[in-house]
Amino acid sequence: MREIYSLERSDFEDYFVSKGLQKYRATQIIEGLYRTKAKSFEEITNLNKDIKKMLSDDFSFSTLEIEKVQKASDGTTKFLYRLADGNFIETVLMVQSYGYSVCVTSQVGCNMGCKFCASGMTKRIRNLEPFEMVLQVLLIDNYLEQMEKRVSHVVVMGIGEPFDNYDNVLKFINIINDAKGLAIGARHITISTCGLVPKIFEFASYPLQVNLAISLHFPSNEKRSAYMPINKKYPIEEVISACKEYYKKTNRRLTFEYILLEGVNDSIEDAKELIKIVRHLNAYVNLIPYNKTKEDLARTSIERRDKFFEYLIQNHINAIVRKEHGTDIDAACGQLRVNTMKEKEEKE
Ligand code: SAH
């Protein structure tokens, strides 16, 4: 049986047409699921009994269990969800000046193996299905609704490499973007990738104006390969030529993420190399404070970070320093999941 939250509008339309029904039924069910937020087929009030019966024969109406909620002093809230197969994933709600942003997990674990990343410490167990990503957002939207708020932005920057689960992630985006459903605007959605080049090319043909962020982090192949194994497969030049093509085709501005690691990639020499790479792309550089996950890596000091930042600005690079969220909870992607798994192992 298919999961009801894994269907996008065109899937519902195809389904209803195949049953000899009208296409507009798709809008009715989308409104029922994402506006009136029915918790069962019974609760979808704008569909008649026969259609509800048919739907319940053909689709499951699963949800996610909330295992743990951690709230930081700045309002950042982490949700640890338990999936039907017992795996855990985490989702973060961030309170921003411009709204409420949800950081979504796309895989259980991750195979990219970046040395500084908590998620990379556990191998990928499986990809998430579209409904498992949709529910991460929907359940947080329900949580916010109690305070008369709603989710305004979504970033696919949680556990996993979204371009390693490409089809499901794009379906998820189509679902949350539907104007009759959660209606998260494409420009309010960001996907972050460590640089899977063929998928960057493919993504250039995706019709929605979704933002793309590239985890560059290191300005030379030597350094990048030492911390990000994917760089051996897709080195910086290939990532950049894919980005150029992407920009030419879509005109969408790219973001390059750059974690500042003390003594590793934070000198003025590093900044110079970074400028050479991004200069001809109309891109932002997002300087990210490192959340400690490893003993031998440290966060760059504020003074050094400011120097690096100023140098980029003086050289006409659009740089920003990412504001930190939830530093008093397990803030780094994947930390809550890894820590909970450790706790459970210790108890057993
Ligand atoms: N796999 C995707 C998305 C998930 S990670 C990607 O690589 O982009 C989201 C962002 O958090 C990436 O830029 C990632 O490099 C960064 N990140 C990972 N570990 C981090 C840490 N310990 N501190 C700060 N940022 C981290």
Side-chain angles (χ1 to χ4, degrees):
M1 270 221 281
R2 288 202 283 173
E3 289 291 343
I4 197 80
Y5 291 113
S6 279
L7 274 75
E8 61 182 289
R9 173 173 292 271
S10 59
D11 300 322
F12 281 124
E13 288 177 350
D14 292 348
Y15 172 77
F16 285 120
V17 169
S18 77
K19 298 281 181 184
L21 294 166
Q22 308 88 327
K23 271 190 181 176
Y24 75 83
R25 300 283 181 194
T27 300
Q28 291 181 320
I29 186 160
I30 289 168
E31 284 177 347
L33 293 174
Y34 300 103
R35 292 293 169 96
T36 41
K37 296 187 168 166
K39 303 285 187 301
S40 66
F41 292 111
E42 252 329 287
E43 288 182 23
I44 304 179
T45 48
N46 55 359
L47 290 172
N48 68 40
K49 239 173 146 185
D50 294 342
I51 297 182
K52 285 194 254 197
K53 166 80 175 65
M54 188 181 85
L55 288 168
S56 63
D57 288 342
D58 290 336
F59 300 104
S60 336
F61 214 120
S62 304
T63 188
L64 305 177
E65 293 300 323
I66 298 179
E67 171 85 12
K68 208 185 249 181
V69 179
Q70 273 188 341
K71 194 165 178 180
S73 47
D74 64 1
T76 303
T77 310
K78 270 207 165 190
F79 295 77
L80 187 76
Y81 291 115
R82 183 209 296 269
L83 307 175
D85 62 5
N87 280 307
F88 292 107
I89 54 165
E90 60 184 62
T91 309
V92 187
L93 165 64
M94 289 168 291
V95 183
Q96 311 277 13
S97 54
Y98 48 78
Y100 290 83
S101 173
V102 173
C103 180
V104 170
T105 282
S106 57
Q107 297 179 312
V108 182
C110 182
N111 274 349
M112 300 301 126
C114 301
K115 300 277 194 298
F116 46 81
C117 179
S119 312
M121 290 173 190
T122 55
K123 282 262 168 259
R124 180 186 68 193
I125 297 172
R126 67 173 176 89
N127 286 333
L128 290 190
E129 295 295 320
F131 79 98
E132 293 169 316
M133 292 181 261
V134 169
L135 281 164
Q136 292 176 54
V137 179
L138 184 63
L139 295 184
I140 293 184
D141 201 58
N142 293 348
Y143 168 87
L144 285 174
E145 207 169 289
Q146 300 161 15
M147 296 162 258
E148 290 175 24
K149 309 272 191 273
R150 49 160 318 204
V151 175
S152 59
H153 291 69
V154 167
V155 296
V156 189
M157 292 191 185
I159 300 166
E161 166 50 47
F163 279 0
D164 190 30
N165 185 16
Y166 188 82
D167 294 343
N168 287 345
V169 167
L170 292 202
K171 190 172 271 290
F172 153 67
I173 288 172
N174 292 341
I175 295 168
I176 61 167
N177 175 251
D178 195 294
K180 298 288 183 193
L182 287 173
I184 313 281
R187 287 169 201 276
H188 286 190
I189 301 173
T190 303
I191 301 186
S192 177
T193 178
C194 63
L196 299 188
V197 167
K199 295 296 175 195
I200 299 174
F201 282 116
E202 209 175 322
F203 192 59
S205 307
Y206 180 61
L208 297 184
Q209 294 287 310
V210 172
N211 305 303
L212 182 62
I214 309 279
S215 296
L216 184 66
H217 300 322
F218 303 92
S220 69
N221 281 322
E222 198 190 335
K223 287 186 184 178
R224 196 166 189 263
S225 293
Y227 291 91
M228 298 177 69
I230 194 67
N231 195 67
K232 293 177 196 148
K233 193 161 181 194
Y234 303 118
I236 294 176
E237 316 74 74
E238 288 186 29
V239 174
I240 296 303
S241 46
C243 289
K244 281 190 178 143
E245 181 62 29
Y246 174 86
Y247 182 66
K248 215 165 89 187
K249 213 160 160 185
T250 63
N251 236 356
R252 289 178 229 153
R253 187 188 288 232
L254 286 150
T255 302
F256 288 100
E257 289 157 293
Y258 197 98
I259 299 183
L260 286 167
L261 297 166
E262 190 169 71
V264 176
N265 63 354
D266 63 349
S267 69
I268 294 300
E269 281 312 306
D270 293 311
K272 282 182 185 162
E273 289 201 65
L274 175 62
I275 292 166
K276 273 192 228 152
I277 295 170
V278 302
R279 197 173 38 203
H280 298 300
L281 283 157
N282 180 20
Y284 280 108
V285 171
N286 201 347
L287 298 176
I288 304 178
Y290 167 61
N291 282 314
K292 200 163 178 67
T293 54
K294 278 203 123 179
E295 276 317 304
D296 53 347
L297 292 175
R299 166 186 294 208
T300 296
S301 68
I302 292 175
E303 299 75 52
R304 226 170 135 83
R305 178 197 75 190
D306 288 348
K307 272 193 192 143
F308 194 96
F309 171 73
E310 295 296 336
Y311 192 81
L312 296 182
I313 298 293
Q314 282 158 15
N315 285 278
H316 314 291
I317 302 292
N318 293 308
I320 37 176
V321 175
R322 182 182 288 171
K323 193 171 163 283
E324 277 197 273
H325 293 277
T327 38
D328 52 345
I329 55 176
D330 297 318
C333 310
Q335 259 182 7
L336 178 60
R337 171 172 175 263
V338 169
N339 291 347
T340 305
M341 287 184 349
K342 272 192 209 143
E343 275 170 29
K344 286 196 184 282
E345 274 165 22
E346 278 158 18
K347 272 187 209 149
E348 277 164 12

